[in-house]
Amino acid sequence: MKQMRWLFHPILVFIFSVLALMVSLSLYIYWYVEVSSGLRAVIERFNIDADPVFSVSTWVVILVLSILIGTILLGIFIIFVFSQKTLQLYRLQNNFISNFTHELKTPVTSLQLYLQTFAKHELPRAEQLKYIEYMLIDINRLTSNINQILNLARLESKRYVGEFVVADIRMGINLFLEENAHLFASCRIRTHLPEETVYCRLNKNLFEMLLMNLFTNAMTYNDSDTPEIDVFLEPGTKWIHIRCVDNGIGFDPKERKKIFNKFYQIGRPDDMTAKGSGLGLYLIQIIARLHKGKVTAESQGPGKGASFIVALPVLT
C-alpha cells in the first residue's frame, strides 16, 4: 500500500504529466516529419506541385500547437507550485495550532493546580505570595499569547488605527525597557544608544509591540542560563537601524528569509517540538512595513546567536 501511495505523490504526478505532454509533442513532430518526408518523396516521384501540400499555414499550426502545449506546461507548473505552498501552509498551521494550544493549556493547568492548592490547604502568607506570583506569571503568559493573536488579526485586516508622530527613538527604547523591566528580569539587556536625539515617525503602540516581540523572541529562542541582548541604535543618512543582538540558538543562514513567514519555526515545518508560535517575527515584519521600513536577520549558524535589524526611514 505504501508503494502504491508513492505513485500518487504530487511531485511524481507532476513529473509524469510533464513527461507525457513532452513525449506527445515529440511524437507528433516526429510523426509529422516522417509523413512529410514520405509525401515529399511521392511528390518528387510523380512531379506534383508541392505548394498546396507544404503550405506555410501548416508550420503556423505546428508553431501555435507548440505554444499551446508550452502554456499548458506552464499552467501545470504554476498549479504544482501553488499546491506545494498550500500543503506547506497547511502543515505550518497544524504546527501552530498544536504549539499554541500547548502554550494556552500549560498556564491554565498551572493556574488550576495553584487554585486547588489554595482551596485544600491553609498556607502561610509567604507561601501564598509565592503562589500568587507564579499565577501572575501564568496570567501574563496567557495575556501575551491572546494579545498576539488579536494584534495579528487587526494588523492583517488593516483595522489597526493609530497616529504616527515624530518621536525620539532613543527615549522610546529606554522608556519601554523601564516600564517592562519586570518582564525581562531574567534577561541581561544592554543598550548602546547615541548621545544625540534620534527622531523618526513612530506609532507608539506599534513600536512598543515591535520591541516586545524582538526581546521576547530573543528570550524564547535561547538555551543559555542567562539570555543576553545588546541593543544598538545606528543613525544613518537614509535609515535608522535598531540592531538587536542575542546569545540565543541562532539559525541556519539559509533560513534567513523564511523565519519571517507566518507560522514558520526554526526546524522542520512539521516539528511539534518547536518553540514559540511562529508569529513574533511575522508581526515585527508587518509593523516595520507599516512604518515604511524593513527588518532583516543575521546569524553565523545554529548555537551562535542572532542579530535582528529593523531599518526605519530617516525623518526628512
Side-chain angles (χ1 to χ4, degrees), residues 240-257:
I240 300 170
H241 293 94
I242 304 171
R243 185 184 299 270
C244 183
V245 182
D246 63 53
N247 63 337
I249 63 174
F251 56 86
D252 191 318
K254 295 178 182 179
E255 297 182 290
R256 186 168 57 90
K257 293 183 178 180

Side-chain angles (χ1 to χ4, degrees), residues 287-300:
I287 295 171
R289 288 175 178 174
L290 289 173
H291 283 83
K292 311 296 184 184
K294 56 187 177 181
V295 59
T296 55
E298 299 173 354
S299 178
Q300 296 299 316

Side-chain angles (χ1 to χ4, degrees), residues 118 125 127-137:
F118 272 99
R125 183 58 179 171
E127 289 290 318
Q128 290 180 4
L129 291 176
K130 183 178 72 172
Y131 285 125
I132 289 173
E133 183 179 354
Y134 292 154
M135 287 191 289
L136 287 174
I137 292 173

Side-chain angles (χ1 to χ4, degrees), residues 184-209:
F184 308 109
S186 61
C187 180
R188 184 179 298 128
I189 300 178
R190 295 180 290 265
T191 57
H192 309 269
L193 309 179
E195 295 182 0
E196 67 272 12
T197 304
V198 182
Y199 288 108
C200 187
R201 291 187 63 83
L202 298 175
N203 177 292
K204 183 178 182 295
N205 293 331
L206 288 180
F207 186 65
E208 289 181 353
M209 194 187 306

Side-chain angles (χ1 to χ4, degrees), residues 214-249:
L214 268 178
F215 297 146
T216 303
N217 181 78
M219 293 179 62
T220 301
Y221 294 93
N222 200 309
D223 292 333
S224 60
D225 295 333
T226 303
E228 296 182 3
I229 306 173
D230 286 276
V231 184
F232 299 87
L233 186 59
E234 305 165 348
T237 55
K238 294 184 178 180
W239 299 95
I240 300 170
H241 293 94
I242 304 171
R243 185 184 299 270
C244 183
V245 182
D246 63 53
N247 63 337
I249 63 174

Side-chain angles (χ1 to χ4, degrees), residues 22 31 36 49 59 78 91-92 106 118 131 147 175 190 204 220 236:
M22 293 180 67
W31 168 81
S36 298
D49 185 12
W59 292 104
I78 292 173
R91 289 174 177 171
L92 290 173
T106 301
F118 272 99
Y131 285 125
N147 286 338
L175 185 61
R190 295 180 290 265
K204 183 178 182 295
T220 301

